[in-house]
Amino acid sequence: MLGFLQRPVVVTADINLNVVALTAVGLLSRLWQLAYPRAVVFDEVYYGQYISFYMKRIFFFDGSGPPFGHMLLALGGYLGGFDGNFLWNRIGAEYSTNVPVWSLRLLPALAGALSVPMAYQIVWELGFSHCAAVGAALLILIENALITQSRLMLLESALIFFNLLAVLSYLKFSNSQKHGPFSPSWWFWLVLTGVACACAVGIKYVGVFTYLLVLGVAAVHAWHLIGDQTLSNVGADVLGRARLAGGSGGQGVRVLCHLLARAVALLVIPVLVYLLFFYVHLLVLCRSGPHDQIMSSAFQASLEGGLARITQGQPLEVAYGSQVTLKNAFGQPVPCWLHSHQSTYPVIYENGRGSSHQQQVTCYPFKDVNNWWIVKDPGRHQLVVNNPPRPVRHGDVVQLVHGMTTRLLNTHDVAAPLSPHSQEVSCYIDYNVSMPAQNLWRLDIVNRESDTDVWKTILSEVRFVHVNTSAILKLSGAPLPDWGFRQLEVVGEQLSRGYHGSTVWSVEEHRYGRSQEQKERELELHSPTQTDVSRNLSFMARFSELQWRMLTVRSDDSEHKYSSTPLDWVMLDTNIAYWLHPRTSAQIHLLGNIVIWASASLATLVYALLFIWYLFRRRRRVCDLPEDCWLRWALAGALCAGGWAVNYVPFFMMEKTLFLYHYLPALTFQILLLPVVLEHISDHLCRSQLQRSLFGALVVAWFASACHVSNTLRPLTYGDRSLSPSELKALRWKDSWDILIRKY
Amino acid sequence: MPPAVGGGLAGSELRPRRGRCGSQAARAVGPDVATEATARSPKRPAPSSRRFEAPGRWALLALVTLMSFATRFHRLDQPPHICWDETHFGKMGSYYINRTFFFDVHPPLGKMLIGLAGHLSGYDGTFLFQKPGDEYEHHSYLGMRGFCAFLGALLIPFAYLTVLELSQSLPAALLTAALLTFDTGCLTLSQYILLDPILMFFIMAAMLSMVKYNSCANRPFSAPWWLWLSLTGVNLAGALGVKFVGLFIILQVGWNTVSDLWHLFGDLSLSMVTVGKHLTARILCLIVLPLALYTATYAVHFMVLNRSGPGDGFFSSAFQARLSGNNLHNASIPEHLAYGSVITVKSARMAVGYLHSHGHLYPEGIGARQQQVTTYLHKDYNNLWIIKKHNTNSDPLDPSLPVEFVRHGDVIRLEHKETSRNLHSHYHEAPLTRKHYQVTGYGINGTGDSNDFWRIEVVNRKFGNRIKVLRSRIRLIHLVTGCVLGSSGKVLPKWGWEQLEVTCTPYLKETLNSIWNVEDHINPKLPNISLDVLQPSFPEIMLEAHMVMIRGNNGLKPKDNEFTSKPWHWPINYQGLRFSGINDTDFRVYLLGNPVVWWLNLLSIALYLLSGSIFAVALQRGARLPAEVEGLSQVLLQGGGQLLLGWMMHYFPFFLMGRILYFHHYFPAMLFSSMLTGLLWDILLRLCAWSLASFSLAGHVHTLGILSLLLGIAYRGHEFEPWSEKIPHAMEQLSLCATTTEPALYSLRATTTEAREPQLLKPARLDPVLHNKRSHCCEKPVHHNKE
């Protein structure tokens, strides 16, 4: 207890001044004049909206990526006390005084700044010299595109940060594998790998490629672990000693522990962390907002305000006599409700086909009194709910009465107006022309738990199967011409028995009808009676719905002036103008340091060629490199060249609009490879001291030119200096670069 | 820590060469196979002496083949009407017989073979193949069906031989053959005029020859080695020549070859010269030979189809000049574009058409009220434009003036011949595409303003060059706004006569939308040259045909709100395809697999992954297995691995495909998975028998297991026969999952041929004659489309 009296308290600080210095310059380069320009720059206009939504806790829907990135940006706003009151409508708009620009841009800038020392650490952990490690960090430091991207409210710098963190912590973990498995630091780095991977995926889906790469490397290492016969429990820690079995059994158990630890940290933890993002997201965004319509009724009902206000206290079970609105579950092209109105189908369509001339039935994307339908028992005449209510169950035959016109939903063997393979759906008018009413529908609850399930408001997904023709009520999604007021066509589809969202409907608004008279019926509203539906939707249900919609929503591929193809990226054939000063010609561009880009691409090529050369020679038992050197060389390639490839190649297969900044994660990995290749050439390919010195001099000269280029492009990176037109023209080194020159 | 490649190195020492492993397995399992097979098969006389082994094997093969042919040719003539895609492939066979040019998204070999089979069997190509359900009447269709059934029947012996080669075990091979013989899906798919039996034939033949040549690896450069290697190449060419999915088997063979070469390369007992010989042999047989054959099929294709037909419009003007009957055929026009020429301008994008204008204005509210400019697919006088200099309005056709050619980079004016208005653009938004500018016809009698000036540029050419008719790909850049003339491919509403929109796009990206070429060219002052000199060379035709096919394939996109088959539906037999009998016809043919077979396959894949990984981990841990188990595990990992790879190669890529997918796309993968099932169960039962060796009955476990599996498949197969055996049946009652059909509609084809239109409901059963016109003005719906 009094041990500290006998022995002195010793604190050994092991500070790598390189790291400190690199962090300092990293911070300087990223944080300098961070609040300038005080105007919306490029995609800030896009992410800013979401920050405002977070501040106001209003639900929004963004299909471009998972919510963690948005939440990070919003965290900056929260720390800066942003109230969310800013209209993000155009690039270049001045920020009002209530927008804490500095703190909003702080987190991305910090992420960008910390990438610099991390590059140092990664190259060091890969087993290369301090010189190479410092080189990698400096290259990241002076890369103009990375500086620009991390000084704004954008997500790439955070994505790059977590990508690097994942790789770094995996390396730390695998290096501590040799001397201290299951030690606290071993566990720390292992778990951090998983968490960093989840964060990267949580910022943008493309983070998944780095995750897969790390998983792949971990799998290969684990496979070697399985084959490692020497892995015994001698000198191992508690876990091994607990098993007294010894021999191969003990080893097997030990290997199993290793594998289990990896599986938990690299598979289970990322999933949990990813779910956590959504949990926080849904917890924060609890108010209804402008994007509600995309989600299902049940989801909407779980948000404050909006639909919840309408549906709160609605009766849960649909009964004969219920008044309901029916929403289509598919939501394509727009969410809409089953609708009818007094107008009829034209006798002859434009293409000469005929119709039944009965009342139109459509799907209408706005709330309207004509969306109300009454569920009627075919055997009775009344349109009110009995006391007690008789609930409608799966398999029951019902009629649907249109509330305002009291006509019955009907379909028959007449081709639909726009989809001639399907049947027309109408509200039946008796013209007395030997076309009988066929208005019986059998209720089919898709998500039923048993065959006697009751039809529930919001929760039940139902299909209406026509009794006479077994056609199914379906939204075809085609907008009708002018005679149908451009509402969406509804048809009876005969040949389909598979599940498809467009045939599924759910009751959104619901009340028990009480009034016999047509006039009163519209006015009636009923007091709340039964359970509150919103409580029934679990987090997992909300998560899976939101995630599914995010993955399946189709953004219209819009052209953009600065969009580019992946082939333009490797040699920096394109740029993006981010911002132009409203009066002077000061401007910010996403424009890389071309020397670094070109030499990084070259280094990748050199690496690939050398690797193949060594590999073939080794296969013929000619070993140019010592074994450990070869392993280091291969691991560096797997992580850096592999990181470049997995972050770059998939873009060739993506159909969305692509921009230069999509290349930045790949570029970061490529830059890490550059000093690795240089050191290798110097150590193994330069035969004499003279060659080595010459090569060193070349590298210094090359680095000086990179610094020079970086400095030359600095005005376009920070946008702090107004350049004359001639200076701007002089900066246009490639014809494909678009640098803005004001015409006076 | 060694990376992946190091692992490969380490692993290579563990595994014996493929050739050896096969024989090793044979040693391990060989003798008792024969005895069991003989004991099991009641159809064979009992003698179990080795003398009869070889004839016994032949007899078994013959039996399998016989069964296969018997099932495939049984009631081949039924139904005597067009089933499903026969309407396409039968028709395309007829096109070959009639030598009419057509367009299809698949390479030509399959249809050529169908055409050949039809021709040889006396079909004269006169049947129209209009829509499914049409009766064949007196036309001879059995030749074509028989040909497909013949190839389909060969699948089973091929699978049998492949599994036999991989596992050296007769029961495994028999099990595979039984699975495929009694699978109703395979049966149905093999009986009609379709590409699938042909495709599957080539895939299986390639697989078989690859496996055969692998087992010849210990006798390199011997005659059988060369034979199987070159046969592999031939079959690869065939597979790719039928459908592009043949690429998957090419990838598989490629992977196998690369790993084989890698082993040879690492074998220090072989000199580099020998390795070089190996490499050259494979390049010759697996790259050069297939490419040559593939090219040859196209050569035949273009040679046979030399008459203009329904496919012309998909191809470029230069291409069309090859086809007799096309108006560009044997035409002669001036070669270089000159001022004063009357021309038509065609978009380089498929199915967009000619730059067009007509005497109608854009309606109120849509840009400026000037004359419409559109693209139009058909040939018409309104497609004619006159090239003029931008600054003079003198008639360049005046004979006193010298001919002046238009050069790359010139600023020109395009005057519409019929209405004398200039092609014009300005800062008004285009009618349909946002952010693009409107293109109009402007000016009176050719006098307009500076917005009528366009710079003409040839793609990838230097400034100052002349512009060639048909061959030069040009862009028209608007001088004032800097935008480029393009077609968006969107259909204008009724005011634009449903022609396609033309815009001026400010995005100067090079896309086909903004590339045009000059097609017709009239200039009396210039000498006409025959178009033959402009005819594209064979490589160019090949390239263009491929581009058009790939674009056509990408164009087959599922529509919104339409049921489409998803890849995950397939292995679980979720829903089938209706081949025939949409309404109440008495012949219903339905493509759906035998659920027993399919679910057994699915279970086997899971079991394989499990047992395979157990063995792999055990080997990696250095566990010492008894010799017998060692042999079995080698077969499981090597042979089974190849089959699993085949299944994955033929299945997973579909998840990435954006085009519309159908159930029948799964069948090549299903063949591989059936082979895997056969191999796996044989090994599992052997392992069972081995582990129970202490019991007296152990020896029979394997026999009994195989027998019961065979019986189960055959029994269930018989029960499900009706599904594909064209017997009128209420299938709904049999269906285990949702039995949905889709009217398999290729949207692209529907536009070209109208054939796949499923039977329409009668347009209107009756047009109700209205006696009393009801007034419908009580409630005028005021809600229109979205604000």
PDB file of all heavy atoms in Angstrom, chain B residues 665-689:
ATOM      1  N   HIS B 665     -32.061 -18.596 -67.258  1.00  0.00           N
ATOM      2  CA  HIS B 665     -30.640 -18.243 -67.185  1.00  0.00           C
ATOM      3  C   HIS B 665     -29.891 -19.099 -66.165  1.00  0.00           C
ATOM      4  O   HIS B 665     -28.679 -19.158 -66.185  1.00  0.00           O
ATOM      5  CB  HIS B 665     -30.488 -16.770 -66.794  1.00  0.00           C
ATOM      6  CG  HIS B 665     -30.895 -15.838 -67.877  1.00  0.00           C
ATOM      7  ND1 HIS B 665     -31.329 -14.559 -67.651  1.00  0.00           N
ATOM      8  CD2 HIS B 665     -30.940 -16.019 -69.206  1.00  0.00           C
ATOM      9  CE1 HIS B 665     -31.630 -13.991 -68.788  1.00  0.00           C
ATOM     10  NE2 HIS B 665     -31.398 -14.860 -69.744  1.00  0.00           N
ATOM     11  N   TYR B 666     -30.622 -19.721 -65.263  1.00  0.00           N
ATOM     12  CA  TYR B 666     -29.961 -20.473 -64.198  1.00  0.00           C
ATOM     13  C   TYR B 666     -29.517 -21.859 -64.653  1.00  0.00           C
ATOM     14  O   TYR B 666     -28.700 -22.476 -63.998  1.00  0.00           O
ATOM     15  CB  TYR B 666     -30.912 -20.587 -62.996  1.00  0.00           C
ATOM     16  CG  TYR B 666     -30.309 -21.311 -61.822  1.00  0.00           C
ATOM     17  CD1 TYR B 666     -29.248 -20.752 -61.119  1.00  0.00           C
ATOM     18  CD2 TYR B 666     -30.774 -22.557 -61.409  1.00  0.00           C
ATOM     19  CE1 TYR B 666     -28.683 -21.396 -60.046  1.00  0.00           C
ATOM     20  CE2 TYR B 666     -30.207 -23.213 -60.335  1.00  0.00           C
ATOM     21  CZ  TYR B 666     -29.170 -22.630 -59.657  1.00  0.00           C
ATOM     22  OH  TYR B 666     -28.599 -23.264 -58.603  1.00  0.00           O
ATOM     23  N   PHE B 667     -30.026 -22.351 -65.770  1.00  0.00           N
ATOM     24  CA  PHE B 667     -29.821 -23.767 -66.065  1.00  0.00           C
ATOM     25  C   PHE B 667     -28.361 -24.187 -66.239  1.00  0.00           C
ATOM     26  O   PHE B 667     -27.998 -25.264 -65.770  1.00  0.00           O
ATOM     27  CB  PHE B 667     -30.710 -24.210 -67.233  1.00  0.00           C
ATOM     28  CG  PHE B 667     -32.088 -24.532 -66.761  1.00  0.00           C
ATOM     29  CD1 PHE B 667     -33.024 -23.532 -66.577  1.00  0.00           C
ATOM     30  CD2 PHE B 667     -32.441 -25.820 -66.413  1.00  0.00           C
ATOM     31  CE1 PHE B 667     -34.276 -23.821 -66.076  1.00  0.00           C
ATOM     32  CE2 PHE B 667     -33.692 -26.119 -65.914  1.00  0.00           C
ATOM     33  CZ  PHE B 667     -34.612 -25.112 -65.750  1.00  0.00           C
ATOM     34  N   PRO B 668     -27.497 -23.390 -66.881  1.00  0.00           N
ATOM     35  CA  PRO B 668     -26.093 -23.821 -66.907  1.00  0.00           C
ATOM     36  C   PRO B 668     -25.537 -24.015 -65.498  1.00  0.00           C
ATOM     37  O   PRO B 668     -24.852 -25.020 -65.228  1.00  0.00           O
ATOM     38  CB  PRO B 668     -25.390 -22.666 -67.612  1.00  0.00           C
ATOM     39  CG  PRO B 668     -26.430 -22.049 -68.456  1.00  0.00           C
ATOM     40  CD  PRO B 668     -27.713 -22.197 -67.700  1.00  0.00           C
ATOM     41  N   ALA B 669     -25.852 -23.098 -64.595  1.00  0.00           N
ATOM     42  CA  ALA B 669     -25.381 -23.244 -63.216  1.00  0.00           C
ATOM     43  C   ALA B 669     -25.968 -24.495 -62.589  1.00  0.00           C
ATOM     44  O   ALA B 669     -25.298 -25.210 -61.837  1.00  0.00           O
ATOM     45  CB  ALA B 669     -25.755 -22.020 -62.408  1.00  0.00           C
ATOM     46  N   MET B 670     -27.223 -24.785 -62.952  1.00  0.00           N
ATOM     47  CA  MET B 670     -27.886 -25.949 -62.372  1.00  0.00           C
ATOM     48  C   MET B 670     -27.186 -27.248 -62.780  1.00  0.00           C
ATOM     49  O   MET B 670     -27.104 -28.202 -62.003  1.00  0.00           O
ATOM     50  CB  MET B 670     -29.352 -25.935 -62.828  1.00  0.00           C
ATOM     51  CG  MET B 670     -30.208 -26.996 -62.228  1.00  0.00           C
ATOM     52  SD  MET B 670     -30.224 -28.391 -63.311  1.00  0.00           S
ATOM     53  CE  MET B 670     -31.079 -29.554 -62.312  1.00  0.00           C
ATOM     54  N   LEU B 671     -26.665 -27.285 -64.019  1.00  0.00           N
ATOM     55  CA  LEU B 671     -25.932 -28.486 -64.453  1.00  0.00           C
ATOM     56  C   LEU B 671     -24.735 -28.714 -63.534  1.00  0.00           C
ATOM     57  O   LEU B 671     -24.479 -29.832 -63.082  1.00  0.00           O
ATOM     58  CB  LEU B 671     -25.442 -28.310 -65.888  1.00  0.00           C
ATOM     59  CG  LEU B 671     -26.507 -28.195 -66.966  1.00  0.00           C
ATOM     60  CD1 LEU B 671     -25.848 -27.986 -68.310  1.00  0.00           C
ATOM     61  CD2 LEU B 671     -27.336 -29.454 -66.995  1.00  0.00           C
ATOM     62  N   PHE B 672     -24.010 -27.634 -63.251  1.00  0.00           N
ATOM     63  CA  PHE B 672     -22.831 -27.775 -62.414  1.00  0.00           C
ATOM     64  C   PHE B 672     -23.237 -28.203 -61.003  1.00  0.00           C
ATOM     65  O   PHE B 672     -22.575 -29.030 -60.382  1.00  0.00           O
ATOM     66  CB  PHE B 672     -22.058 -26.459 -62.356  1.00  0.00           C
ATOM     67  CG  PHE B 672     -21.237 -26.240 -63.593  1.00  0.00           C
ATOM     68  CD1 PHE B 672     -21.721 -25.463 -64.619  1.00  0.00           C
ATOM     69  CD2 PHE B 672     -19.992 -26.814 -63.713  1.00  0.00           C
ATOM     70  CE1 PHE B 672     -20.978 -25.273 -65.753  1.00  0.00           C
ATOM     71  CE2 PHE B 672     -19.242 -26.628 -64.840  1.00  0.00           C
ATOM     72  CZ  PHE B 672     -19.737 -25.850 -65.869  1.00  0.00           C
ATOM     73  N   SER B 673     -24.319 -27.619 -60.524  1.00  0.00           N
ATOM     74  CA  SER B 673     -24.689 -27.955 -59.157  1.00  0.00           C
ATOM     75  C   SER B 673     -25.176 -29.407 -59.076  1.00  0.00           C
ATOM     76  O   SER B 673     -24.955 -30.077 -58.072  1.00  0.00           O
ATOM     77  CB  SER B 673     -25.693 -26.919 -58.655  1.00  0.00           C
ATOM     78  OG  SER B 673     -26.904 -27.470 -58.365  1.00  0.00           O
ATOM     79  N   SER B 674     -25.787 -29.925 -60.146  1.00  0.00           N
ATOM     80  CA  SER B 674     -26.190 -31.340 -60.116  1.00  0.00           C
ATOM     81  C   SER B 674     -24.975 -32.247 -60.103  1.00  0.00           C
ATOM     82  O   SER B 674     -24.960 -33.271 -59.412  1.00  0.00           O
ATOM     83  CB  SER B 674     -27.045 -31.683 -61.337  1.00  0.00           C
ATOM     84  OG  SER B 674     -28.200 -30.920 -61.338  1.00  0.00           O
ATOM     85  N   MET B 675     -23.963 -31.871 -60.879  1.00  0.00           N
ATOM     86  CA  MET B 675     -22.758 -32.696 -60.884  1.00  0.00           C
ATOM     87  C   MET B 675     -22.130 -32.699 -59.501  1.00  0.00           C
ATOM     88  O   MET B 675     -21.642 -33.717 -59.022  1.00  0.00           O
ATOM     89  CB  MET B 675     -21.774 -32.146 -61.915  1.00  0.00           C
ATOM     90  CG  MET B 675     -22.230 -32.370 -63.329  1.00  0.00           C
ATOM     91  SD  MET B 675     -20.915 -32.144 -64.517  1.00  0.00           S
ATOM     92  CE  MET B 675     -20.946 -30.415 -64.766  1.00  0.00           C
ATOM     93  N   LEU B 676     -22.147 -31.515 -58.872  1.00  0.00           N
ATOM     94  CA  LEU B 676     -21.573 -31.421 -57.530  1.00  0.00           C
ATOM     95  C   LEU B 676     -22.343 -32.324 -56.571  1.00  0.00           C
ATOM     96  O   LEU B 676     -21.752 -33.003 -55.732  1.00  0.00           O
ATOM     97  CB  LEU B 676     -21.623 -29.969 -57.058  1.00  0.00           C
ATOM     98  CG  LEU B 676     -20.984 -29.701 -55.716  1.00  0.00           C
ATOM     99  CD1 LEU B 676     -19.505 -29.998 -55.786  1.00  0.00           C
ATOM    100  CD2 LEU B 676     -21.200 -28.265 -55.293  1.00  0.00           C
ATOM    101  N   THR B 677     -23.672 -32.340 -56.724  1.00  0.00           N
ATOM    102  CA  THR B 677     -24.487 -33.178 -55.853  1.00  0.00           C
ATOM    103  C   THR B 677     -24.095 -34.636 -55.979  1.00  0.00           C
ATOM    104  O   THR B 677     -23.896 -35.335 -54.980  1.00  0.00           O
ATOM    105  CB  THR B 677     -25.969 -33.010 -56.218  1.00  0.00           C
ATOM    106  OG1 THR B 677     -26.268 -31.629 -56.207  1.00  0.00           O
ATOM    107  CG2 THR B 677     -26.856 -33.737 -55.251  1.00  0.00           C
ATOM    108  N   GLY B 678     -23.981 -35.088 -57.233  1.00  0.00           N
ATOM    109  CA  GLY B 678     -23.622 -36.480 -57.451  1.00  0.00           C
ATOM    110  C   GLY B 678     -22.304 -36.821 -56.784  1.00  0.00           C
ATOM    111  O   GLY B 678     -22.184 -37.803 -56.042  1.00  0.00           O
ATOM    112  N   LEU B 679     -21.327 -35.962 -57.024  1.00  0.00           N
ATOM    113  CA  LEU B 679     -19.990 -36.211 -56.486  1.00  0.00           C
ATOM    114  C   LEU B 679     -20.004 -36.199 -54.968  1.00  0.00           C
ATOM    115  O   LEU B 679     -19.416 -37.048 -54.303  1.00  0.00           O
ATOM    116  CB  LEU B 679     -19.062 -35.132 -57.036  1.00  0.00           C
ATOM    117  CG  LEU B 679     -17.593 -35.266 -56.716  1.00  0.00           C
ATOM    118  CD1 LEU B 679     -16.793 -35.208 -57.998  1.00  0.00           C
ATOM    119  CD2 LEU B 679     -17.160 -34.140 -55.820  1.00  0.00           C
ATOM    120  N   LEU B 680     -20.725 -35.211 -54.404  1.00  0.00           N
ATOM    121  CA  LEU B 680     -20.692 -35.024 -52.960  1.00  0.00           C
ATOM    122  C   LEU B 680     -21.312 -36.202 -52.227  1.00  0.00           C
ATOM    123  O   LEU B 680     -20.732 -36.738 -51.280  1.00  0.00           O
ATOM    124  CB  LEU B 680     -21.418 -33.743 -52.595  1.00  0.00           C
ATOM    125  CG  LEU B 680     -21.532 -33.521 -51.107  1.00  0.00           C
ATOM    126  CD1 LEU B 680     -20.256 -32.919 -50.591  1.00  0.00           C
ATOM    127  CD2 LEU B 680     -22.696 -32.650 -50.749  1.00  0.00           C
ATOM    128  N   TRP B 681     -22.495 -36.628 -52.701  1.00  0.00           N
ATOM    129  CA  TRP B 681     -23.192 -37.672 -51.952  1.00  0.00           C
ATOM    130  C   TRP B 681     -22.438 -38.991 -52.006  1.00  0.00           C
ATOM    131  O   TRP B 681     -22.410 -39.745 -51.032  1.00  0.00           O
ATOM    132  CB  TRP B 681     -24.626 -37.832 -52.451  1.00  0.00           C
ATOM    133  CG  TRP B 681     -25.471 -36.727 -51.922  1.00  0.00           C
ATOM    134  CD1 TRP B 681     -25.784 -35.573 -52.548  1.00  0.00           C
ATOM    135  CD2 TRP B 681     -26.042 -36.635 -50.624  1.00  0.00           C
ATOM    136  NE1 TRP B 681     -26.519 -34.765 -51.744  1.00  0.00           N
ATOM    137  CE2 TRP B 681     -26.706 -35.393 -50.548  1.00  0.00           C
ATOM    138  CE3 TRP B 681     -26.073 -37.471 -49.519  1.00  0.00           C
ATOM    139  CZ2 TRP B 681     -27.380 -34.969 -49.422  1.00  0.00           C
ATOM    140  CZ3 TRP B 681     -26.752 -37.059 -48.386  1.00  0.00           C
ATOM    141  CH2 TRP B 681     -27.396 -35.812 -48.347  1.00  0.00           C
ATOM    142  N   ASP B 682     -21.825 -39.243 -53.142  1.00  0.00           N
ATOM    143  CA  ASP B 682     -21.019 -40.451 -53.243  1.00  0.00           C
ATOM    144  C   ASP B 682     -19.921 -40.424 -52.181  1.00  0.00           C
ATOM    145  O   ASP B 682     -19.725 -41.398 -51.444  1.00  0.00           O
ATOM    146  CB  ASP B 682     -20.428 -40.512 -54.643  1.00  0.00           C
ATOM    147  CG  ASP B 682     -19.522 -41.702 -54.807  1.00  0.00           C
ATOM    148  OD1 ASP B 682     -19.995 -42.814 -54.531  1.00  0.00           O
ATOM    149  OD2 ASP B 682     -18.357 -41.512 -55.185  1.00  0.00           O
ATOM    150  N   ILE B 683     -19.239 -39.285 -52.081  1.00  0.00           N
ATOM    151  CA  ILE B 683     -18.132 -39.211 -51.121  1.00  0.00           C
ATOM    152  C   ILE B 683     -18.647 -39.283 -49.693  1.00  0.00           C
ATOM    153  O   ILE B 683     -18.075 -39.988 -48.846  1.00  0.00           O
ATOM    154  CB  ILE B 683     -17.343 -37.912 -51.368  1.00  0.00           C
ATOM    155  CG1 ILE B 683     -16.570 -38.049 -52.665  1.00  0.00           C
ATOM    156  CG2 ILE B 683     -16.399 -37.634 -50.206  1.00  0.00           C
ATOM    157  CD1 ILE B 683     -15.869 -36.813 -53.072  1.00  0.00           C
ATOM    158  N   LEU B 684     -19.733 -38.575 -49.433  1.00  0.00           N
ATOM    159  CA  LEU B 684     -20.258 -38.578 -48.066  1.00  0.00           C
ATOM    160  C   LEU B 684     -20.641 -39.989 -47.637  1.00  0.00           C
ATOM    161  O   LEU B 684     -20.345 -40.418 -46.532  1.00  0.00           O
ATOM    162  CB  LEU B 684     -21.466 -37.646 -47.957  1.00  0.00           C
ATOM    163  CG  LEU B 684     -21.168 -36.153 -47.956  1.00  0.00           C
ATOM    164  CD1 LEU B 684     -22.431 -35.361 -47.709  1.00  0.00           C
ATOM    165  CD2 LEU B 684     -20.128 -35.816 -46.898  1.00  0.00           C
ATOM    166  N   LEU B 685     -21.291 -40.706 -48.558  1.00  0.00           N
ATOM    167  CA  LEU B 685     -21.712 -42.053 -48.202  1.00  0.00           C
ATOM    168  C   LEU B 685     -20.513 -42.974 -48.014  1.00  0.00           C
ATOM    169  O   LEU B 685     -20.497 -43.837 -47.140  1.00  0.00           O
ATOM    170  CB  LEU B 685     -22.666 -42.604 -49.269  1.00  0.00           C
ATOM    171  CG  LEU B 685     -24.037 -41.928 -49.225  1.00  0.00           C
ATOM    172  CD1 LEU B 685     -24.852 -42.279 -50.444  1.00  0.00           C
ATOM    173  CD2 LEU B 685     -24.769 -42.358 -47.957  1.00  0.00           C
ATOM    174  N   ARG B 686     -19.511 -42.767 -48.839  1.00  0.00           N
ATOM    175  CA  ARG B 686     -18.287 -43.564 -48.659  1.00  0.00           C
ATOM    176  C   ARG B 686     -17.656 -43.280 -47.300  1.00  0.00           C
ATOM    177  O   ARG B 686     -17.173 -44.177 -46.628  1.00  0.00           O
ATOM    178  CB  ARG B 686     -17.277 -43.209 -49.746  1.00  0.00           C
ATOM    179  CG  ARG B 686     -17.484 -43.974 -51.017  1.00  0.00           C
ATOM    180  CD  ARG B 686     -16.527 -43.491 -52.080  1.00  0.00           C
ATOM    181  NE  ARG B 686     -17.036 -43.848 -53.384  1.00  0.00           N
ATOM    182  CZ  ARG B 686     -16.934 -45.059 -53.902  1.00  0.00           C
ATOM    183  NH1 ARG B 686     -16.329 -46.005 -53.212  1.00  0.00           N
ATOM    184  NH2 ARG B 686     -17.441 -45.332 -55.083  1.00  0.00           N
ATOM    185  N   LEU B 687     -17.650 -41.991 -46.933  1.00  0.00           N
ATOM    186  CA  LEU B 687     -17.078 -41.634 -45.633  1.00  0.00           C
ATOM    187  C   LEU B 687     -17.873 -42.283 -44.511  1.00  0.00           C
ATOM    188  O   LEU B 687     -17.311 -42.800 -43.551  1.00  0.00           O
ATOM    189  CB  LEU B 687     -17.077 -40.116 -45.459  1.00  0.00           C
ATOM    190  CG  LEU B 687     -15.945 -39.386 -46.179  1.00  0.00           C
ATOM    191  CD1 LEU B 687     -16.116 -37.892 -46.045  1.00  0.00           C
ATOM    192  CD2 LEU B 687     -14.606 -39.832 -45.629  1.00  0.00           C
ATOM    193  N   CYS B 688     -19.184 -42.280 -44.680  1.00  0.00           N
ATOM    194  CA  CYS B 688     -20.061 -42.919 -43.698  1.00  0.00           C
ATOM    195  C   CYS B 688     -19.694 -44.382 -43.566  1.00  0.00           C
ATOM    196  O   CYS B 688     -19.491 -44.909 -42.464  1.00  0.00           O
ATOM    197  CB  CYS B 688     -21.512 -42.836 -44.172  1.00  0.00           C
ATOM    198  SG  CYS B 688     -22.431 -41.608 -43.312  1.00  0.00           S
ATOM    199  N   ALA B 689     -19.623 -45.038 -44.726  1.00  0.00           N
ATOM    200  CA  ALA B 689     -19.310 -46.461 -44.737  1.00  0.00           C
ATOM    201  C   ALA B 689     -17.965 -46.700 -44.069  1.00  0.00           C
ATOM    202  O   ALA B 689     -17.790 -47.650 -43.298  1.00  0.00           O
ATOM    203  CB  ALA B 689     -19.286 -46.965 -46.172  1.00  0.00           C
TER     204      ALA B 689
END
